[in-house]
Amino acid sequence: MRFDSLLDSVGGTPLVGLPRLSPTADVRLWAKLEDHNPTGSIKDRAALRMLLDAEKDGRLRPGNTILEPTSGNTGISLAMAAKLRGYRMVCVMPENTSEERRQILRMWGVEIISSPAAGGSNEAVRVAKQVAEEHPDWVMLYQYGNPSNALAHYDGTAREILEDLPSVTHFVAGLGTTGTLMGAGRFFREHKPEVRIVAAEPRYGELVYGLRNLDEGFVPELYDETLIDARFSVGPRDAVRRVRELLDNEGIFAGISTGAILHAALGQAAKCVRDGEHADIAFVVADGGWKYLSTGAYEGTIDEAEDRLEGQLWA
Amino acid sequence: MAIELRVPTILRTYTGGAKAVSGDGVNLAEFIDNVNGTHPGLKERIVEGEPEELRRFVNVYVNDEDVRFTGGLKTEVKDGDVVVVLPAVAGG
């Protein structure tokens, strides 16, 4: 495969079968390997699309500074794209994200503004909105409300899956900005409406939910619940257990959030077996495990790993 | 056996600091009413309006599944189920 530049190589990722984790010959699991993108995560798709669309409609011009609230991956993807297209990049990131993510961002020349750990990404969004007001000339692409984020998955992720696996029955992905699920959800509703859209949402430790009033929660502007059919909350214990199963059984070394996605996919698979349904369940491997080694998720017992993840933004 | 409610930090003022309380009911609405009987004030932090609905920034899960996709407040519950209440948070 040949591309004119790194940016041209975003997307077109492999879809691989999981012969050992699939429960039966009739209920099969398929992994969409998004860690094969240039910076190693699914966020390359959204970042590139948001940046190109902003250039097209004139919101982004040469020499601009891009500002984005991110727990890591979107920042890394935007940083790569920004570097190649000549923009300065500033990220607002919760202080309880992994050290690897900070180092990688700095490596790509990103300036990092830390937001308080308590409150997680909600706080990063709040701080970024404040910073944007202080710097009206900076361009916030704002992944939580930018339709280009979802479009990247409508035109890319979901379309590729349907092409590679016309018999697909379920699509399972992580819920963060909701971009992947909204784009893929809309694509399948229009092109193969019988495909069930399943969301896996990471459940963090108490610190992340903070002491804030329940009315100060955050639902991304992109979110439209009619585009998904089921939504599961997955804690660190199940995420770690599954991410290790993926490595042990299928040789795939994925990030912790993928463990949460696989947990929901396996739950769906078990249900299909019980109901005697045929199923081809495609799920997203959002990134590789490299950036999370220092969290301790891959070493020792599950109990130890679970304890270490307490208070961390592991997805 | 009973149904367990996992209480988020912010709502523990209604449960004397307890992380989990228990109650009964055949569906989520009944269960919340039942728990509110022993811990007054909890309900109005989770539910609002007429007809009653979940508050916008509150997510409720029965055995880890978001009840907005399983019938909302009419979601059936039974002994041994775990109900989790959490504020909506961002990711990404």
Side-chain angles (χ1 to χ4, degrees):
Chain A
M1 256 179 290
R2 170 177 147 170
F3 302 96
D4 287 340
S5 79
L6 188 65
L7 288 176
D8 294 298
S9 74
V10 170
T13 54
L15 183 70
V16 303
L18 302 188
R20 294 186 175 83
L21 283 178
S22 297
T24 68
D26 232 20
V27 175
R28 295 182 297 178
L29 290 169
W30 301 86
K32 181 74 168 158
L33 301 183
E34 291 300 308
D35 58 316
H36 283 229
N37 280 302
T39 74
S41 91
I42 190 168
K43 298 293 190 181
D44 283 353
R45 293 179 185 268
L48 179 63
R49 182 66 183 258
M50 289 194 299
L51 193 141
L52 293 179
D53 287 354
E55 284 181 346
K56 238 179 262 165
D57 67 23
R59 262 181 306 148
L60 200 51
R61 289 183 304 277
N64 274 162
T65 295
I66 296 173
L67 169 74
E68 188 67 22
T70 166
S71 57
N73 277 336
T74 302
I76 293 167
S77 298
L78 272 175
M80 179 269 294
K83 192 174 225 8
L84 293 178
R85 301 193 67 89
Y87 304 104
R88 174 177 165 238
M89 173 86 205
V90 178
C91 279
V92 179
M93 191 155 87
E95 61 193 2
N96 49 339
T97 45
S98 73
E99 177 55 28
E100 288 94 327
R101 286 188 263 189
R102 290 170 177 273
Q103 278 194 29
I104 293 168
L105 283 169
R106 287 196 294 266
M107 186 179 82
W108 253 293
V110 172
E111 291 158 53
I112 300 170
I113 298 172
S114 284
S115 58
S121 297
N122 288 12
E123 274 297 296
V125 171
R126 192 185 59 77
V127 171
K129 285 180 174 168
Q130 229 168 38
V131 174
E133 273 179 34
E134 292 158 15
H135 300 273
D137 53 323
W138 292 6
V139 180
M140 181 152 76
L141 295 172
Y142 193 58
Q143 54 176 335
Y144 300 97
N146 189 326
S148 303
N149 175 0
L151 278 172
H153 302 288
Y154 182 101
D155 289 331
T157 321
R159 193 181 294 275
E160 291 166 22
I161 288 173
L162 186 58
E163 271 169 24
D164 292 338
L165 186 69
S167 59
V168 60
T169 56
H170 296 77
F171 174 79
V172 190
L175 190 81
T177 68
T178 77
T180 308
L181 284 153
M182 294 303 103
R186 184 162 285 125
F187 177 84
F188 284 117
R189 293 282 193 261
E190 290 173 12
H191 294 85
K192 195 179 181 197
E194 61 270 35
V195 172
R196 299 296 84 188
I197 310 297
V198 179
E201 175 188 17
R203 185 171 65 246
Y204 302 111
E206 286 177 11
L207 175 71
V208 174
Y209 296 97
L211 285 166
R212 61 182 54 247
N213 192 302
L214 278 183
D215 295 326
E216 293 167 9
F218 178 72
V219 176
E221 289 83 345
L222 285 178
Y223 187 58
D224 172 358
E225 68 179 30
T226 66
L227 295 177
I228 61 181
D229 299 296
R231 174 170 166 173
F232 295 91
S233 169
V234 186
R237 188 178 186 83
D238 287 322
V240 165
R241 185 162 63 92
R242 297 307 194 184
V243 87
R244 291 181 182 194
E245 280 179 29
L246 190 58
L247 185 62
D248 290 345
N249 291 283
E250 304 284 356
I252 297 171
F253 175 44
I256 309 167
S257 71
T258 298
I261 299 168
L262 176 60
H263 184 68
L266 283 167
Q268 186 60 58
K271 188 170 179 297
C272 292
V273 171
R274 271 199 311 275
D275 297 345
E277 283 173 23
H278 158 83
D280 275 311
I281 301 166
F283 73 96
V284 168
V285 171
D287 63 2
W290 306 100
K291 292 188 295 283
Y292 311 93
L293 286 173
S294 72
T295 64
Y298 302 88
E299 277 188 317
T301 65
I302 302 270
D303 282 338
E304 288 164 356
E306 188 185 9
D307 287 346
R308 291 190 204 109
L309 287 177
E310 175 66 32
Q312 297 196 52
L313 273 186
W314 47 265
Chain B
M1 283 283 268
I3 301 156
E4 180 180 318
L5 175 71
R6 301 257 169 94
V7 185
T9 323
I10 187 71
L11 295 188
R12 289 186 196 150
T13 48
Y14 300 97
T15 61
K19 289 185 178 185
V21 296
S22 57
D24 289 298
V26 299
N27 61 36
L28 187 61
E30 265 191 30
F31 171 69
I32 292 173
D33 278 337
N34 182 263
V35 172
N36 195 59
T38 43
H39 304 281
L42 258 186
K43 179 180 175 175
E44 65 182 61
R45 303 300 304 280
I46 302 171
V47 170
E48 67 184 350
E50 189 60 51
E52 288 175 346
E53 275 183 39
L54 292 174
R55 297 180 84 101
R56 171 159 164 76
F57 293 118
V58 174
N59 291 331
V60 180
Y61 308 86
V62 173
N63 301 332
D64 291 339
E65 185 161 10
D66 186 331
V67 300
R68 286 195 171 91
F69 300 92
T70 58
L73 288 167
K74 294 193 183 72
T75 299
E76 287 178 22
V77 291
K78 58 183 188 313
D79 269 3
D81 282 353
V82 175
V83 179
V84 174
V85 174
L86 286 177
V89 301

